Amino acid sequence: MTEERPEDQRDERADERADERADERADERADQRMVLDRIEDGRWAVLEKGPAGEAISIPVEWLPGTAREGDVLRVSRLAGGGVSIRVDEEATEAAGEQVRSLRDSLPRGPSGDLEL
């Protein structure tokens, strides 16, 4: 039976940390899903990302020409350091359908004139 030496354990921990850092870098390069929330002053696109709705602003010139408010965007970091942004048509349609379904499921209020 071989006994592990302390330096072997240190090497294993260093290898694990290096693997974790590589995974983090890969995650950074992976597509991020963002939603084009709004355009401000015709110059800034406000994108929401993540479940908490964290907002970031980017120059509107960075958007694909077909992008509209409410579109789901896929944002990718490129190997050369640039960024690619594209409209995810399928995800945009699915999100729209989900909103319509939720809206249709809400209870209706009274019809006709209301007295105030």
Side-chain angles (χ1 to χ4, degrees), residues 2-115:
T2 61
E3 196 172 306
E4 246 187 56
R5 297 174 298 178
E7 54 270 9
D8 291 338
Q9 291 173 344
R10 280 193 299 271
D11 289 344
E12 283 179 25
R13 286 193 300 269
D15 289 343
E16 288 172 7
R17 285 192 301 274
D19 289 344
E20 288 170 8
R21 286 192 300 273
D23 289 344
E24 288 170 8
R25 286 191 299 274
D27 287 344
E28 288 174 1
R29 286 188 299 270
D31 283 354
Q32 288 190 11
R33 179 184 187 272
M34 297 187 187
V35 176
L36 176 53
D37 182 55
R38 64 187 179 278
I39 305 291
E40 292 184 342
D41 300 326
R43 296 177 22 210
W44 297 101
V46 179
L47 308 180
E48 287 187 355
K49 69 177 205 171
E54 176 187 345
I56 63 168
S57 296
I58 64 169
V60 76
E61 295 85 20
W62 291 9
L63 293 175
T66 60
R68 302 285 177 260
E69 291 178 354
D71 281 351
V72 176
L73 305 174
R74 294 291 175 180
V75 181
S76 305
R77 290 187 181 172
L78 302 175
V83 174
S84 167
I85 302 174
R86 64 182 175 82
V87 175
D88 185 334
E89 302 287 344
E90 231 175 79
T92 297
E93 181 58 36
E97 187 58 41
Q98 186 177 12
V99 168
R100 285 187 290 279
S101 176
L102 178 61
R103 182 191 60 216
D104 292 345
S105 72
L106 294 173
R108 305 275 187 239
S111 61
D113 294 336
L114 297 177
E115 267 186 53

